[in-house]
């Protein structure tokens, strides 16, 4: 089940994520980021690790991959808004990007 973000939690989370390169689309209420890698193998490795978490959380990113680039959009379709799961996914992506990314 999707859990709404309280206003103060949302503000704080978004501030941190924007500092880490995420952009807020406040019309669609999505957060977006482009991750760049050395090559396709690294990009796909990143997607594989994220996919395992997505299945566990039952929360799935919208994304496209072109060679070494992964464009990610996170939002919660149930709520048509950002939720705690989006923040959790974004933090996880930033965390593993440090170990895989260039
Ligand atoms: C039934 C299933 O858990 C839901 O449809 C999940 C699947 N993954 C999802 N992913 C995202 N990003 N938002 C959702 O609302 C959502 N709902």
């Amino acid at each position: 089940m999707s859990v709404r973000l309280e206003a103060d939690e949302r503000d704080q989370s978004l501030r941190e994520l924007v500092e880490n390169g995420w952009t807020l689309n406040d019309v669609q209420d999505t957060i977006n980021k482009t991750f760049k890698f050395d090559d396709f193998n690294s990009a796909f490795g990143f997607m594989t690790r994220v996919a395992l978490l997505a299945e566990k959380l039952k929360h799935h990113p919208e994304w496209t991959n072109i060679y070494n680039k992964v464009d990610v959009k996170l939002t919660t379709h149930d709520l048509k808004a950002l939720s705690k799961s989006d923040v959790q996914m974004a933090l996880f992506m930033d965390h593993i990007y440090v170990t895989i990314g260039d």
Side-chain angles (χ1 to χ4, degrees):
M1 207 190 70
S2 307
V3 181
R4 282 182 189 280
L5 287 164
E6 301 300 331
D8 53 347
E9 189 186 3
R10 180 186 161 101
D11 289 349
Q12 180 165 347
S13 297
L14 284 178
R15 202 173 313 123
E16 284 171 22
L17 291 170
V18 166
E19 274 172 21
N20 278 331
W22 291 87
T23 54
L24 172 69
N25 177 326
D26 52 11
V27 177
Q28 295 184 330
D29 211 26
T30 66
I31 48 173
N32 309 291
K33 185 170 174 178
T34 298
F35 292 90
K36 274 192 141 181
F37 299 86
D38 284 342
D39 50 26
F40 175 74
N41 227 23
S42 302
F44 204 78
F46 170 83
M47 294 176 82
T48 303
R49 292 189 62 187
V50 172
L52 295 175
L53 179 69
E55 275 298 277
K56 196 165 142 191
L57 297 182
K58 294 186 175 36
H59 193 76
H60 303 86
E62 296 176 40
W63 54 12
T64 55
N65 162 236
I66 300 175
Y67 179 49
N68 65 338
K69 212 179 73 180
V70 181
D71 283 312
V72 176
K73 183 195 281 189
L74 294 173
T75 192
T76 299
H77 307 119
D78 288 351
L79 302 177
K80 295 190 172 65
L82 290 165
S83 71
K84 287 187 192 232
S85 301
D86 295 306
V87 173
Q88 188 178 352
M89 290 289 295
L91 293 174
F92 180 74
M93 288 185 188
D94 285 341
H95 177 69
I96 61 165
Y97 183 69
V98 170
T99 66
I100 300 177
D102 57 13

